[in-house]
Amino acid sequence: MQNTPIGRRPPYAVESVDTALRLLQLLRDTGGLRLTDAAAEVGVSRSTAHRLLAMLVYRGFAVQDGAKQYWPGPSLGAGPAGIPWARQLRELAAPVLEALVQRTGETANLMLRVGANVRFITTIESAEVLRVTDRRGVVLPARSASGGKALLATLDRAAIERLYRSSAAEVSGDVLDDAAFAALIAELEQVRRAGFATNVEETEGGVGAVGVALRDAEGQAVAAISIATPVARLPERLAQGMADTVLAARAANRSIRLSRMKSDFVSNVSHELRTPIASIRVFAELLRAGRVQSPEKVREYGERIEQESTRLARLVDKVLDFSRIESGRKIYHFEPIDLGALVQERVDRFRQRPEVDGFRIEVEPTPPLAPISLDADAIGLAIDNLLENAVKYSDESRDVIVQIRKEADQTGVRVIDHGRGIERVEQERIFERFHRVNQGAVHDVKGTGLGLSIVEHVVRAHGGTVSVESRLGKGSAFTFWLPSDGASPLEEPE
Ligand code: ADP
């Protein structure tokens, strides 16, 4: 298969069939589809979408699960793309694609690689009359499409061999002979060197494209962006710097990652707000309805309401602290403070929290220290956040140690736990705002991803530093150092 022509829209298109086919492509590429989303995607009313999906279910092309989401059915013969956040990625990439269309004047695509193929997840068309049109839902051989080549170039030789030279490749029809395979390897090497891939009329007559791979936080290539242009305009566009513009889109990785983290953050926070509110409501309801007879139960439910409201207040405070600190609105009041006494006081207060029940939290004795110029509330907040994490991520172990260390010109506070630990690659990222290890549904411990960035901000505002030493499965030690030479603290960094 050399050229895979992409059909032009027939002049007398049957609208409803086209809509049903679009729905099929959506099911295949994004998996779980809700009725409302399906209707919005293909631009029909909910009732039309419902009727079309009912036909797909009837013919076995779709199935509906208990949560009323539609999934690819057995007749479709293809699983979903297997990338659960394909839809989210598409939303996040949309502004990047828009910007590319504006800057280059050409059509932009977002695609995912599934095996030896790429699936076009979304297209934003150029406003030119002569332009490359919508490719949403199209599946093409990865080795012909520019984005596909960019994605293949991120794989190692063994993975490419599995795709094109293995017995599985023979079965799937993707197998390449010696010459074609050698040509592909050589082309991918070039792509690696240039950082982008091109395609001149390999997928469609008259169409050329430039593509780059997008990587996620782990450096894994997750998708590709391409700009497609009528081949007649390609030389002119390249001369105008189209390849550089597409390459610059890779810088969007960070914002894509950040907005992905932000949306996880919003759902984490709403979840955390909703849980205590729900229990407060239930306990209050029980008390109000007079259904609780025994005085112990009344007291117990009252206590639960108190605890849950404290949790709520703490969460709201944390978000407010973060927003004040991050926006530079936080004003620090520095005064000479005995750090040892401050640590002891915060630990004593922290021990009163109900979630700390059964934990041993010890402050190692330290010789008296000279007072240090600091903001006691802010440093207290940093200590609280480290203690909270030590407890939250302790798992089975219930032993937390706090040390105070004095060095020549700085004093450090170290919070040590013997819990789950943090993988090396994660250790730098945990200080970023919103970042949580194992983000999303798999995270089993509640949190916002704000605690450590609050700690870092506060400590930096004192001219200090914070660091972590940790081993997976063994535990973590977080240390912050504050200058103890009375030097004037730094301005809060932006
Ligand atoms: P949160 O705990 O609310 O998620 P933080 O910013 O305090 O946010 O921490 C970021 C991430 O760092 C956490 O989600 C967790 O994965 C990891 N982490 C922080 N402290 C510890 C610790 N003591 N042990 C293991 N992992 C930790």
Side-chain angles (χ1 to χ4, degrees):
M1 190 165 54
Q2 271 310 310
N3 273 355
T4 312
I6 299 177
R8 303 251 167 246
R9 189 176 163 83
Y12 303 105
V14 185
E15 251 356 286
S16 59
V17 173
D18 193 34
T19 313
L21 294 175
R22 279 290 300 131
L23 285 173
L24 277 181
Q25 291 176 330
L26 272 175
L27 282 173
R28 182 199 58 196
D29 292 343
T30 61
L33 196 59
R34 290 185 187 286
L35 182 59
T36 319
D37 295 334
E41 285 284 349
V42 295
V44 298
S45 68
R46 273 171 58 96
S47 61
T48 305
H50 185 253
R51 278 176 16 233
L52 289 170
L53 284 164
M55 286 308 293
L56 296 183
V57 171
Y58 168 60
R59 290 289 178 188
F61 285 93
V63 288
Q64 211 180 0
D65 67 11
K68 299 232 154 132
Q69 292 207 56
Y70 293 89
W71 295 90
S75 309
L76 197 54
I83 298 157
W85 51 284
R87 192 165 329 141
Q88 203 182 354
L89 175 71
R90 195 184 48 184
E91 275 157 30
L92 295 172
V96 179
L97 296 183
E98 295 273 7
L100 279 176
V101 173
Q102 277 195 357
R103 228 170 292 156
T104 60
E106 300 294 349
T107 297
N109 299 299
L110 176 72
M111 68 197 85
L112 300 171
R113 184 183 64 81
V114 181
N117 290 319
V118 277
R119 297 182 180 192
F120 284 69
I121 297 300
T122 193
T123 294
I124 296 185
E125 283 187 44
S126 120
E128 300 272 345
V129 181
L130 184 62
R131 63 173 186 268
V132 179
T133 50
D134 198 348
R135 286 185 167 184
R136 268 176 309 166
V138 168
V139 177
L140 287 173
R143 63 191 171 84
S144 331
S146 63
K149 291 180 199 176
L151 287 168
L152 290 175
T154 65
L155 301 177
D156 60 19
R157 169 108 188 190
I160 310 255
E161 276 175 3
R162 273 197 298 280
L163 286 177
Y164 296 106
R165 300 288 281 174
S166 62
S167 45
E170 266 162 42
V171 177
S172 63
D174 295 315
V175 76
L176 293 180
D177 62 25
D178 291 350
F181 186 71
L184 177 66
I185 292 290
E187 182 170 13
L188 295 182
E189 193 42 53
Q190 247 176 20
V191 172
R192 264 177 223 123
R193 248 178 279 134
F196 62 87
T198 54
N199 145 25
V200 180
E201 296 198 303
E202 286 165 74
T203 51
E204 185 180 350
V207 169
V210 176
V212 292
L214 293 180
R215 292 170 186 274
D216 69 5
E218 277 72 46
Q220 200 84 30
V222 286
I225 284 185
S226 73
I227 289 285
T229 165
V231 88
R233 272 206 301 266
L234 188 60
E236 175 196 338
R237 293 302 196 201
L238 286 174
Q240 289 164 350
M242 182 164 106
D244 284 341
T245 312
V246 185
L247 266 175
R250 288 188 309 183
N253 285 1
R254 209 187 133 66
S255 68
I256 287 182
R257 213 176 106 210
L258 202 59
S259 18
R260 199 171 146 204
M261 288 196 276
K262 258 188 205 156
S263 63
D264 282 348
F265 164 73
V266 171
S267 70
N268 283 341
V269 169
S270 1
H271 179 76
E272 282 209 48
L273 287 172
R274 219 173 295 132
T275 334
I277 290 174
S279 27
I280 290 174
R281 184 180 296 153
V282 170
F283 289 120
E285 189 93 336
L286 287 172
L287 292 176
R288 187 184 51 79
R291 295 221 208 99
V292 195
Q293 303 301 333
S294 82
E296 294 96 80
K297 280 279 166 217
V298 172
R299 205 187 42 243
E300 187 196 322
Y301 290 0
E303 276 171 12
R304 292 291 296 272
I305 292 178
E306 243 176 70
Q307 285 168 8
E308 295 295 308
S309 357
T310 313
R311 239 178 81 191
L312 260 183
R314 235 183 255 134
L315 178 67
V316 172
D317 280 348
K318 187 178 268 193
V319 175
L320 290 179
D321 285 333
F322 172 77
S323 106
R324 246 193 312 269
I325 289 173
E326 161 117 323
S327 65
R329 279 180 292 125
K330 164 95 185 154
I331 298 166
Y332 292 91
H333 301 284
F334 293 90
E335 51 187 339
I337 299 281
D338 176 345
L339 186 59
L342 177 67
V343 168
Q344 191 62 57
E345 180 201 320
R346 293 310 270 222
V347 170
D348 288 342
R349 209 189 303 167
F350 187 78
R351 285 204 195 99
Q352 317 285 322
R353 296 197 189 179
E355 72 263 26
V356 179
D357 234 20
F359 272 83
R360 194 178 76 98
I361 307 179
E362 293 298 332
V363 183
E364 274 187 9
T366 12
L369 299 167
I372 305 176
S373 169
L374 54 82
D375 180 321
D377 285 340
I379 292 296
L381 189 67
I383 298 170
D384 285 355
N385 273 296
L386 293 182
L387 291 171
E388 262 172 43
N389 283 348
V391 165
K392 277 201 304 192
Y393 303 106
S394 260
D395 295 339
E396 303 302 302
S397 117
R398 322 221 112 208
D399 197 14
V400 175
I401 299 165
V402 185
Q403 297 173 335
I404 299 164
R405 289 270 176 272
K406 173 93 182 78
E407 278 186 3
D409 53 357
Q410 53 180 5
T411 312
V413 174
R414 178 171 298 157
V415 178
I416 305 167
D417 67 63
H418 303 90
R420 63 177 64 178
I422 306 157
E423 251 184 293
R424 227 193 148 72
V425 287
E426 290 285 351
Q427 288 178 14
E428 280 168 30
R429 301 207 192 107
I430 51 175
F431 292 95
E432 291 174 15
R433 58 199 162 143
F434 313 131
H435 188 85
R436 311 196 70 215
V437 179
N438 287 340
Q439 276 220 293
V442 272
H443 213 301
D444 56 337
V445 177
K446 291 182 176 148
T448 53
L450 296 184
L452 288 178
S453 75
I454 292 179
V455 173
E456 189 175 43
H457 267 288
V458 164
V459 169
R460 275 177 33 198
H462 283 75
T465 54
V466 55
S467 60
V468 59
E469 292 152 67
S470 182
R471 278 181 56 203
L472 207 56
K474 299 275 185 228
S476 311
F478 284 84
T479 313
F480 66 79
W481 291 98
L482 302 178
S484 47
D485 55 359
S488 66
L490 296 181
E491 285 295 301
E492 164 71 350
E494 46 68 62

